[in-house]
Amino acid sequence: MKLALYPRLAWMGLKKNARLYVPYLLSCAFMAAALYVIAGLASTPSLYVVNGKPNGSGTSAVEMVMQLGSFVVSVFTALFLFYTNSFLLRRRKKEFGLYSVLGMDRGALGSVLFWETLMAAAFTLIAGLGFGVLLSFVSQTVLLRLLGLPAAAFSVSFAAVKQCAVTFAAIFALLYLRGVLSLRRAQGAALLKSESVGEKPPKSQWLLVLPGLALLLGAYFIAATIKNPVQAMLLFFVAVIMVILATYLLFISGSVTLCRTLQKDEKFYYRKRNFVSLSSLTYRMKRNGAGLASICILSTMVLVMVASTASLYFGADDAISALAVQNHWQASEMAEIRAEFFSLYGGLFFLGILLSVLFLFATLLMLYYKQVVEGYEDAARFAIMQRVGMTKRDIRESVNAQMLLIFLLPLGAAALHLGFAQPMVWQIMQLFGIQNLMLFLGVTAAALLVFAALYCAMYRLTSNAYFHIVSTQNA
């Protein structure tokens, strides 16, 4: 009887929390598909034939790029799923607490969690690999077109299937282990109250703000003053690490400082639209700050990746012409050199597009989860405010005030990072032979505009979802 009960409870839990689990499962399937595509392209180097030579230097470059891409996707998928799964676990703890109060022991709770994890893993692999096979056909066609190579026969890569299965089995096993340990550390009563437990803001904000500002200004100074392309390549990753650390420090500490400053302004704070949202933000800003910093960093990565790889690909002809003059290449050499250039730059551009879509998808999903889960946490506060006279319009204004702060901070910071990174990225582009500055700036501006449009669309979707939750729950 128990063996049938646990899968049924797990399925009921998935259905009841469909608003949270459907985006999560779709994101898992999408990432499995992305990993299959890149792993499949990496395991089929005969696709990238350069002038009839399967083992030419152009082929080796594309294969190396795809192998690197599969590693990046695997690591990023693990980190992202651990991050999003924490939202699900936080939301489900109250439900598991109820089961515990009704008499289920920790072993039974672990069994329910096991079946949920097994169902999620099965859907991810079946749907993800199915979609990945379809997507790989399109991806193969696009990649070969980017490389200027003829169409090739399509086949399913069993090596890529094996890599995806092993990777996601390991990830879901770790997620299950983390969930079991989390449940075992809390009692039933504590689980029931888990959603109402907030995080305290950090106490010594200025001790974090000052080094954060120093790191950020130092990274900006490095990016703005470097004039040597080789030096820019060597210091690029140093500047990136400095910006990442500075972003986390400033978002965690600076956001708390900003909220507290606004709370001291009585005219601003004691308005119906600001009081609830600002109190909620301040109470949980330590966690919010880390999440917003992650969104900002992902956004910056997307913008820099698209701008640089697109500039390499579309500026390849100019680079080849300039290098041909400098190195006195003969006409007989140009065909093979051009094929090898486009093999490398086309492979990088393809990988840049795929990873950018993956990072963009993750960024938007993080924003969605962040606000939906916190909408459930804030619902009780808004319910109390409605009982004392807060109207639907007041709730909408309060939600918009909170959403604008949460959405504009990462987008504005990402645009600022991108602007200061341009001199250094341009120096690196010159190292690869790119000389068309207007092309580089135009591609960067186009990437920023498209990203901002998608970001604003997610703002509208998330704002509506948050408003629906806080205005209907317990009303």
Side-chain angles (χ1 to χ4, degrees):
M1 182 67 181
K2 287 185 178 180
L3 294 177
L5 175 63
Y6 298 146
R8 188 162 63 249
L9 288 176
W11 176 248
M12 288 172 58
L14 294 176
K15 289 177 62 178
K16 181 180 177 181
N17 295 278
R19 183 191 290 271
L20 297 176
Y21 269 102
V22 169
Y24 173 71
L25 293 175
L26 290 178
S27 66
C28 290
F30 176 76
M31 291 187 176
L35 179 59
Y36 172 83
V37 169
I38 298 180
L41 293 173
S43 63
T44 318
S46 59
L47 288 173
Y48 327 123
V49 176
V50 178
N51 291 338
K53 296 183 293 183
N55 296 315
S57 60
T59 299
S60 301
V62 178
E63 184 180 0
M64 179 188 67
V65 168
M66 294 305 160
Q67 288 174 346
L68 175 63
S70 65
F71 174 75
V72 171
V73 171
S74 298
V75 173
F76 175 75
T77 298
L79 295 175
F80 175 73
L81 293 185
F82 264 82
Y83 182 84
T84 53
N85 184 262
S86 65
F87 288 112
L88 296 175
L89 190 60
R90 183 178 177 88
R91 175 63 183 162
R92 297 298 306 285
K93 278 184 178 180
K94 185 175 181 180
E95 184 177 328
F96 285 125
L98 180 60
Y99 290 155
S100 179
V101 170
L102 292 176
M104 291 183 69
D105 57 23
R106 293 176 180 177
L109 294 177
S111 297
V112 175
L113 186 61
F114 169 78
W115 281 102
E116 286 188 8
T117 306
L118 184 63
M119 291 175 184
F123 175 84
T124 296
L125 289 175
I126 294 172
L129 290 175
F131 180 57
V133 171
L134 295 176
L135 187 61
S136 64
F137 174 76
V138 179
S139 300
Q140 177 179 310
T141 304
V142 171
L143 177 60
L144 293 177
R145 184 176 293 274
L146 288 175
L147 302 183
L149 298 176
F154 174 75
S155 62
V156 176
S157 172
F158 292 101
V161 171
K162 180 180 177 181
Q163 182 175 341
C164 285
V166 171
T167 299
F168 278 87
I171 290 174
F172 278 104
L174 292 174
L175 289 175
Y176 169 70
L177 180 62
R178 197 266 296 269
V180 169
L181 293 176
S182 177
L183 292 176
R184 292 195 174 187
R185 284 196 295 262
Q187 301 295 327
L191 290 171
L192 281 172
K193 298 178 180 179
S194 61
E195 282 192 321
S196 60
V197 177
E199 293 192 27
K200 296 179 180 179
K203 295 180 179 180
S204 303
Q205 292 84 14
W206 288 108
L207 294 179
L208 297 176
V209 170
L210 293 178
L213 285 173
L215 285 170
L216 187 64
L217 293 176
Y220 285 173
F221 178 78
I222 292 173
T225 57
I226 283 184
K227 303 300 181 184
N228 186 292
V230 176
Q231 192 179 18
M233 176 69 82
L234 294 175
L235 292 178
F236 178 76
F237 292 103
V238 175
V240 167
I241 293 173
M242 291 173 66
V243 168
I244 291 174
L245 292 175
T247 301
Y248 274 100
L249 289 173
L250 291 176
F251 268 87
I252 291 172
S253 56
S255 56
V256 174
T257 303
L258 174 62
C259 287
R260 288 184 170 179
T261 302
L262 292 174
Q263 283 181 314
K264 292 178 181 179
D265 185 352
E266 295 184 359
K267 293 182 179 179
F268 176 85
Y269 182 53
Y270 290 105
R271 292 181 179 177
K272 287 184 289 186
R273 70 174 185 174
N274 298 330
F275 182 78
V276 177
S277 59
L278 193 57
S279 298
S280 175
L281 282 174
T282 306
Y283 189 67
R284 296 190 312 264
M285 192 49 78
K286 183 177 181 179
R287 187 182 71 229
N288 278 343
L292 294 177
S294 300
I295 292 168
C296 174
I297 292 167
L298 278 175
S299 302
T300 307
M301 289 172 60
V302 170
L303 293 169
V304 172
M305 191 181 305
V306 170
S308 56
T309 56
S311 297
L312 284 174
Y313 181 74
F314 292 112
D317 281 322
D318 291 340
I320 294 169
S321 299
L323 291 173
V325 173
Q326 294 176 11
N327 297 288
H328 306 289
W329 288 335
Q330 302 297 320
S332 57
E333 302 175 296
M334 290 299 295
E336 183 172 351
I337 291 173
R338 189 177 188 279
E340 292 180 358
F341 257 83
F342 272 91
S343 291
L344 176 59
Y345 290 177
L348 287 172
F349 183 40
F350 174 83
L351 184 61
I353 292 174
L354 195 59
L355 291 180
S356 296
V357 171
L358 190 66
F359 291 161
L360 176 62
F361 184 79
T363 301
L364 299 180
L365 195 65
M366 285 169 65
L367 286 168
Y368 175 81
Y369 267 120
K370 189 174 188 53
Q371 299 316 312
V372 168
V373 172
E374 292 179 358
Y376 284 113
E377 296 175 0
D378 290 342
R381 300 183 184 94
F382 278 96
I384 293 173
M385 298 302 292
Q386 287 184 77
R387 294 190 188 104
V388 297
M390 195 176 194
T391 65
K392 297 283 187 180
R393 180 177 179 180
D394 295 330
I395 294 177
R396 170 60 77 179
E397 291 179 351
S398 178
V399 168
N400 286 338
Q402 181 175 341
M403 294 294 104
L404 282 174
L405 176 64
I406 289 174
F407 273 78
L408 290 181
L409 279 177
L411 181 61
L416 189 65
H417 291 343
L418 180 67
F420 276 96
Q422 291 306 287
M424 178 175 277
V425 177
W426 172 241
Q427 293 291 334
I428 296 174
M429 291 294 100
Q430 290 178 291
L431 196 63
F432 283 88
I434 304 302
Q435 303 295 326
N436 192 335
L437 177 59
M438 295 307 298
L439 171 66
F440 173 69
L441 294 177
V443 168
T444 303
L448 181 58
L449 289 175
V450 172
F451 182 84
L454 293 173
Y455 199 87
C456 291
M458 179 53 67
Y459 161 75
R460 177 57 57 189
L461 175 64
T462 304
S463 177
N464 289 337
Y466 184 95
F467 171 74
H468 175 74
I469 292 171
V470 300
S471 62
T472 58
Q473 294 283 318
N474 302 319

